[in-house]
Amino acid sequence: MDLRLTLLLICLCSQGAISVEDTNKESVPLVPLIPLMPSNPIENVDNQNIPQLENEYTTEAPILATTAAISTNRGPLEDEQNEECWSTGRSPQSREVLAAAIQKLGVQLLQNLETTPEQPNIIISPFSILLALSQLALGAVNETRELLMHHLNENTLPCYHESLNNIFMQLRNNDLQIATRIFLRQGFQLKQNFVDNSRRFYDSDPAVLESLQQINDWVNNATNGKITDFLTSLPPNFLVMLINAVHFKGEWKSRFDPRFTSRGVFYLDDKHMVDVEVMENAKHPLSLFIDNELEAQVARFPFMKFMSLLVVMPMSGRVNISSLSEKLNFSDLYNRLPKERAVQVKVPKFKLEYSQELQEVFIKLGLGEIFSKPNLAEMADGPMLVSSVMHKSYMEINEEGAEAAAATTVVISRASNPVFQLTRPFVFALMDDMTQVPIFMGVINNPNPGAPVLQRGEHGSKDKVGFPMDKNHAGSFGGPPK
Ligand SMILES: *[C@@H]1O[C@H](CO)[C@@H](O)[C@H](O)[C@H]1NC(C)=O
Ligand SMILES: *[C@@H]1O[C@H](CO)[C@@H](O)[C@H](O)[C@H]1NC(C)=O
Ligand SMILES: *[C@@H]1O[C@H](CO)[C@@H](O)[C@H](O)[C@H]1NC(C)=O
Ligand SMILES: *[C@@H]1O[C@H](CO)[C@@H](O)[C@H](O)[C@H]1NC(C)=O
């Protein structure tokens, strides 16, 4: 059984670190690039674990149980097509295509998300993000559905949702918690078909939203307390939130002895380093090789239950994700992992949080339409748009193992009219419409030359963007410059 990637949690850590609020140590550990993958343990390729995997991955019971209730109101022909799609979704080919799609989305995001001095690391759950967009696709029709499908899998999977459902069920079997929910504004009506499909494919049930606390409590519970304040305010005009959370806690197959953990260093680049706590093992079983094309060392740290942490560490300096990403193929690295052998290892301990509004990066990747004028007619009637895709994540590595959590929400709001604020210098021409003769023309740099000039930020909250969703309505024109 050739199980490729089913989950990919990627942590790109370069310089500095975000310390989680309860860490008050002044130095924080770092690692260069830590993708977390489910294990396709190399040693399993030829041993007796295969039948066990096979059984787990072809479990049909949960899928059938969830479909049974729905198919009652369908005709026999639809049932037949349905059944065909469910079985296509369970094929290894579908799984492979989808795994590749999730990898690709993850790498694209790493490539396009920017690090800052305040947030020097990136930790995302491509699976969680893809899941949220896929559920959005269930509500989209025509060009919007096509756009989403193009970005999610390049239209290569005919039975997309069935295939993702299959992976969803497998991952759950793998001791990974995945929770999903639809939160609705009081009184807002979703189309029944969307509700049915969300439940059927992604086990996502609607609930009326009463307070912000309700969402944050839900995320907190679904991530085992690892993501506490997911949202800081309720988005204006919000109608629907498609939300999911994943939580993973795995124990290393070979634990580190805490007695050997000591202070050490992590090299940020040629000239800089930082103090970290380093776990050590003189004889750690590790699959390790050097990839000459990537000019990187590749190592796999297995967990107890069919998951692994795959690490790619470039030989020189910092991770340059833009040059790495063209060549980075996790399935390929995975397939090339050699047999484990005893290696002397040093691994930094760390505990990091990451939080990012993904709207900007998705616009950069070509999904701008979902934020301006999507066709979501399958979800509900009336003008709607996606006003935010919020992602928050957590990752910890210590002697026992790793814990990682992430939550993603797609927020759908009532479409309001586009905003235009003439709040920056501009050029004007006062035209005669018929002849197009400019009667006046000018440049306005300061419409109030007599007034004292203020420092930016002095003028109350105008320069501050509060909730990232505030600025997102219908393509914000104008506003203060960066
Ligand atoms: C989708 O496109 C078809 C064909 O152009 C059109 O007839 C239909 O009204 C569209 N549906 C929606 C909900 O926009
Ligand atoms: C909290 O999470 C557990 C396990 O993930 C779940 O069974 C339970 O229903 C959740 N509780 C609430 C209030 O959501
Ligand atoms: C990353 O690599 C690309 C292409 O090799 C190069 O153009 C770019 O300057 C590098 N970026 C950094 C920060 O080193
Ligand atoms: C990645 O590697 C796998 C396995 O070697 C291969 O089948 C696949 O085509 C590669 N993907 C890309 C995008 O090159």
Side-chain angles (χ1 to χ4, degrees):
M1 166 122 284
D2 182 24
L3 169 70
R4 289 284 162 73
L5 170 79
T6 40
L7 165 81
L8 184 64
L9 264 169
I10 298 180
C11 165
L12 165 66
C13 310
S14 40
Q15 162 188 89
I18 312 290
S19 57
V20 175
E21 71 269 16
D22 62 354
T23 4
N24 45 12
K25 294 158 193 152
E26 68 274 11
S27 60
V28 192
L30 300 153
V31 290
L33 173 62
I34 301 208
L36 175 65
M37 306 182 73
S39 82
N40 170 17
I42 289 303
E43 66 269 31
N44 280 351
V45 169
D46 49 19
N47 78 7
Q48 63 281 42
N49 277 335
I50 290 174
Q52 197 192 334
L53 281 171
E54 192 88 51
N55 279 339
E56 262 183 61
Y57 294 142
T58 50
T59 303
E60 288 171 287
I63 300 166
L64 293 177
T66 50
T67 46
I70 317 288
S71 42
T72 48
N73 55 5
R74 284 165 193 272
L77 182 64
E78 261 180 286
D79 273 351
E80 219 168 86
Q81 286 169 345
N82 253 350
E83 203 32 65
E84 221 167 274
C85 243
W86 284 109
S87 90
T88 305
R90 285 190 293 268
S91 70
Q93 293 90 320
S94 296
R95 199 153 56 216
E96 232 171 80
V97 171
L98 203 47
I102 301 172
Q103 290 188 26
K104 187 173 163 211
L105 178 70
V107 171
Q108 273 183 335
L109 288 171
L110 284 193
Q111 202 176 353
N112 286 283
L113 286 167
E114 275 161 27
T115 54
T116 59
E118 297 77 41
Q119 195 153 267
N121 310 301
I122 299 174
I123 302 171
I124 55 171
S125 167
F127 172 74
S128 166
I129 295 167
L130 180 115
L131 188 59
L133 291 180
S134 302
Q135 201 180 350
L136 178 68
L138 283 178
V141 297
N142 288 358
E143 67 288 351
T144 304
R145 174 179 295 189
E146 265 156 44
L147 179 74
L148 280 165
M149 280 303 150
H150 174 75
H151 279 269
L152 291 171
N153 74 105
E154 287 168 349
N155 296 314
T156 46
L157 275 175
C159 301
Y160 178 83
H161 296 288
E162 287 83 357
S163 305
L164 185 54
N165 168 274
N166 181 50
I167 281 191
F168 183 92
M169 298 317 252
Q170 265 176 232
L171 289 173
R172 276 192 163 169
N173 283 345
N174 267 359
D175 273 359
L176 182 83
Q177 291 177 46
I178 308 169
T180 55
R181 198 78 160 141
I182 303 172
F183 284 114
L184 290 178
R185 176 181 288 273
Q186 178 85 49
F188 185 71
Q189 284 291 323
L190 287 172
K191 293 207 171 148
Q192 192 55 42
N193 212 26
F194 177 76
V195 174
D196 291 345
N197 281 333
S198 292
R199 181 177 299 138
R200 182 155 63 129
F201 293 118
Y202 305 122
D203 195 18
S204 181
D205 282 310
V208 171
L209 184 67
E210 272 137 27
S211 67
L212 182 66
Q213 196 57 35
Q214 190 186 352
I215 301 175
N216 289 346
D217 287 349
W218 185 88
V219 171
N220 188 19
N221 182 48
T223 59
N224 205 23
K226 295 304 164 193
I227 295 178
T228 47
D229 298 305
F230 181 53
L231 297 182
T232 51
S233 70
L234 276 180
N237 292 336
F238 118 88
L239 300 171
V240 188
M241 284 192 209
L242 309 175
I243 184 163
N244 72 66
V246 296
H247 175 254
F248 166 77
K249 185 165 184 177
E251 204 182 307
W252 300 127
K253 222 172 188 173
S254 175
R255 286 181 176 216
F256 291 87
D257 186 337
R259 286 174 303 172
F260 300 135
T261 299
S262 60
R263 307 306 291 180
V265 292
F266 185 91
Y267 300 96
L268 302 178
D269 55 34
D270 302 347
K271 300 191 185 74
H272 304 92
M273 58 192 197
V274 67
D275 248 359
V276 289
E277 263 190 289
V278 176
M279 311 187 286
E280 288 197 56
N281 188 347
K283 285 198 300 193
H284 196 87
L286 200 69
S287 313
L288 174 72
F289 71 100
I290 293 176
D291 184 304
N292 291 321
E293 222 198 311
L294 291 177
E295 295 180 63
Q297 284 174 289
V298 179
R300 168 174 160 261
F301 295 84
F303 295 106
M304 295 296 268
K305 291 186 188 163
F306 306 116
M307 302 268 275
S308 301
L309 184 70
L310 192 73
V311 178
V312 178
M313 184 174 69
M315 307 288 205
S316 65
R318 302 179 52 167
V319 173
N320 181 338
I321 190 70
S322 53
S323 65
L324 200 62
S325 59
E326 294 139 41
K327 301 174 236 157
L328 202 55
N329 177 338
F330 288 104
S331 295
D332 179 52
L333 294 179
Y334 226 70
N335 293 339
R336 286 162 51 205
L337 284 167
K339 245 183 131 55
E340 279 177 11
R341 62 196 156 107
V343 177
Q344 191 187 335
V345 299
K346 286 189 181 190
V347 176
K349 276 176 77 165
F350 66 84
K351 184 152 131 180
L352 297 165
E353 276 187 327
Y354 180 73
S355 167
Q356 186 67 42
E357 165 60 44
L358 299 175
Q359 183 182 31
E360 212 172 296
V361 69
F362 279 133
I363 291 174
K364 213 155 62 168
L365 293 177
L367 276 169
E369 188 192 303
I370 67 169
F371 302 101
S372 55
K373 46 172 181 42
N375 191 342
L376 299 175
E378 263 302 289
M379 188 179 292
D381 292 320
M384 294 181 290
L385 49 75
V386 174
S387 57
S388 163
V389 182
M390 189 66 197
H391 189 66
K392 197 163 175 182
S393 54
Y394 167 94
M395 186 159 180
E396 174 173 9
I397 286 197
N398 60 30
E399 288 86 353
E400 288 87 54
E403 185 161 12
T408 309
T409 184
V410 170
V411 181
I412 294 130
S413 296
R414 186 173 299 121
S416 51
N417 293 328
V419 176
F420 176 73
Q421 300 173 350
L422 199 56
T423 53
R424 297 202 290 261
F426 59 93
V427 174
F428 76 88
L430 200 156
M431 308 282 292
D432 174 61
D433 287 338
M434 294 303 288
T435 59
Q436 301 193 347
V437 171
I439 319 292
F440 296 92
M441 262 186 178
V443 178
I444 305 298
N445 281 313
N446 179 352
N448 189 3
V453 175
L454 306 172
Q455 292 293 315
R456 290 197 66 169
E458 254 177 54
H459 207 70
S461 60
K462 274 208 182 131
D463 272 358
K464 289 198 193 120
V465 179
F467 193 75
M469 297 162 190
D470 289 346
K471 63 175 178 181
N472 294 334
H473 286 284
S476 42
F477 304 98
K482 291 208 171 166

